[in-house]
Amino acid sequence: MVKIKQLSIFLTNQKGRLYNVLNILAENNINIRALSLTDTSEFGILRLIVDNPDKGEQILEANNYTLKTTQAIAVELEDVPGGLVSILKILNDNEINLNILYAFTQDYSDKAILFLSIPNLDFLIKILKENSISLVASNVIYNL
């Protein structure tokens, strides 16, 4: 399975809110694999990929956090100048507008991992496969 469960947590932009969420996850042995934080002056959206998304979701809801679960996919790309551009060109050529994009590098290979999301993930998967882009299975991401 290539679809990855992503937790999107709504946070008011106040001192300690990010710490509190991450501390709750740490106290419950939930390991973060990737994160993205976007904010405005009043609120932020924390997007997390964690090793156990179902448990993470349950714990955060039990602690009264407003969250939404969505799906994303992960692709491997060359960790070189222009590696990201090569993926974006495919998306641009196919008129795909991304909702979410964030990336990280890791030590186990010379590849970077890019998380992507659009409303129609099946279409995105199809286009990437047609262009020989390597998709990363969800279990690989959860177990990094």
Side-chain angles (χ1 to χ4, degrees):
M1 170 140 193
V2 295
K3 293 181 183 176
I4 298 162
K5 192 171 190 177
Q6 173 183 251
L7 306 177
S8 298
I9 302 115
F10 177 82
L11 297 175
T12 54
N13 197 353
Q14 296 175 315
K15 181 180 176 184
R17 293 291 285 169
L18 179 61
Y19 166 79
N20 291 339
V21 169
L22 300 183
N23 189 53
I24 287 168
L25 293 174
E27 287 176 344
N28 287 278
N29 203 31
I30 302 292
N31 202 357
I32 298 167
R33 297 299 177 217
L35 69 81
S36 169
L37 177 64
T38 56
D39 73 335
T40 67
S41 61
E42 297 177 20
F43 67 90
I45 304 291
L46 173 64
R47 290 186 175 88
L48 298 173
I49 307 291
V50 298
D51 64 344
N52 188 335
D54 293 331
K55 182 179 175 186
E57 179 182 11
Q58 292 169 352
I59 289 164
L60 291 172
E61 285 177 342
N63 282 274
N64 299 315
Y65 282 95
T66 302
L67 72 129
K68 179 180 179 183
T69 59
T70 56
Q71 292 183 322
I73 60 167
V75 299
E76 278 189 332
L77 60 132
E78 295 296 322
D79 187 14
V80 298
L84 177 56
V85 172
S86 66
I87 302 290
L88 294 178
K89 179 172 181 357
I90 293 166
L91 302 180
N92 188 58
D93 290 348
N94 287 278
E95 299 183 12
I96 295 172
N97 187 32
L98 291 170
N99 291 3
I100 296 168
L101 179 147
Y102 51 105
F104 72 95
T105 60
Q106 28 64 40
D107 292 333
Y108 83 91
S109 79
D110 60 348
K111 306 282 185 182
I113 294 181
L114 180 66
F115 293 97
L116 307 165
S117 186
I118 67 171
N120 186 347
L121 273 183
D122 292 328
F123 177 68
L124 179 58
I125 291 166
K126 175 184 173 286
I127 294 299
L128 293 170
K129 285 182 177 180
E130 286 174 357
N131 286 274
S132 303
I133 301 300
S134 177
L135 299 170
V136 184
S138 59
N139 65 323
V140 170
I141 296 297
Y142 298 146
N143 291 302
L144 284 176

